[in-house]
Amino acid sequence: MMYAIIFIVLGFAAMEFSGWFIHKYIMHGPLWGIHKTHHQPSKSFFELNDLFSLLFGSVAVLLIFLGVGKFDFRFWMGVGISLYGISYFFIHDVLVHRRIKWFDRPKSNFLQGIFKAHQAHHATNKKNDAVSFGLFVVPKKYFKIKS
């Protein structure tokens, strides 16, 4: 059981840190043409940027598929990546961007910090001017409560 938990946590953490790198250097780099649809106003529910979610989801499904026979590390890493994807959907798409209006704006300090960091990221719609590329790991300054 501890083996499974360790690899689930590793899969989740790997997505946050690889996601930060991919977001900063690939999405805001050579694949900006796809990602910029996320930084522009849209009247459509879907945006070209959603292709990245399909890519990451495919990696999770592949790992689960390859590891399900033995329930080895691949299976549990795939579960961790999937849990990250679910968390990303609820925090990024539902709470922050309100693509689906299930909940009000976040009230906890942690979620408000994530919300502020993402607002700062979207303060520009330019490729090179963005800040704060992670979802959960964001600069401390966004968690400070203004008095």
Side-chain angles (χ1 to χ4, degrees):
M1 182 63 151
M2 186 56 85
Y3 172 85
I5 292 169
I6 289 169
F7 282 106
I8 289 170
V9 170
L10 279 174
F12 193 97
M15 275 307 298
E16 176 66 13
F17 293 105
S18 65
W20 179 92
F21 180 86
I22 290 165
H23 189 185
K24 181 170 179 138
Y25 295 107
I26 297 174
M27 292 178 180
H28 281 260
L31 296 182
W32 175 249
I34 296 171
H35 183 61
K36 73 179 176 183
T37 63
H38 181 61
H39 284 264
Q40 299 169 335
S42 173
K43 295 197 186 304
S44 174
F45 182 77
F46 292 106
E47 48 197 42
L48 193 55
N49 184 69
D50 292 332
L51 290 174
F52 291 115
S53 295
L54 291 175
L55 173 66
F56 296 138
S58 297
V59 170
V61 168
L62 180 63
L63 285 170
I64 290 169
F65 179 75
L66 292 173
V68 73
K70 298 180 182 177
F71 288 106
D72 63 12
F73 74 96
R74 296 171 297 185
F75 177 83
W76 299 113
M77 292 282 288
V79 169
I81 292 169
S82 297
L83 290 173
Y84 183 89
I86 292 166
S87 302
Y88 184 92
F89 169 75
F90 278 104
I91 291 173
H92 180 265
D93 293 334
V94 176
L95 286 176
V96 174
H97 286 290
R98 306 204 24 91
R99 288 174 77 176
I100 300 173
K101 293 171 178 61
W102 286 341
F103 308 107
D104 292 330
R105 295 237 168 150
K107 292 180 180 39
S108 79
N109 288 340
F110 177 70
L111 291 176
Q112 283 181 357
I114 290 172
F115 187 82
K116 289 176 195 170
H118 206 75
Q119 282 181 316
H121 179 76
H122 281 273
T124 182
N125 61 359
K126 295 188 174 34
K127 176 180 175 180
N128 296 319
D129 294 339
V131 296
S132 189
F133 295 90
L135 180 64
F136 294 104
V137 179
V138 298
K140 288 181 185 179
K141 67 181 179 181
Y142 297 110
F143 295 102
K144 293 181 181 170
I145 299 170
K146 294 180 181 178
S147 35

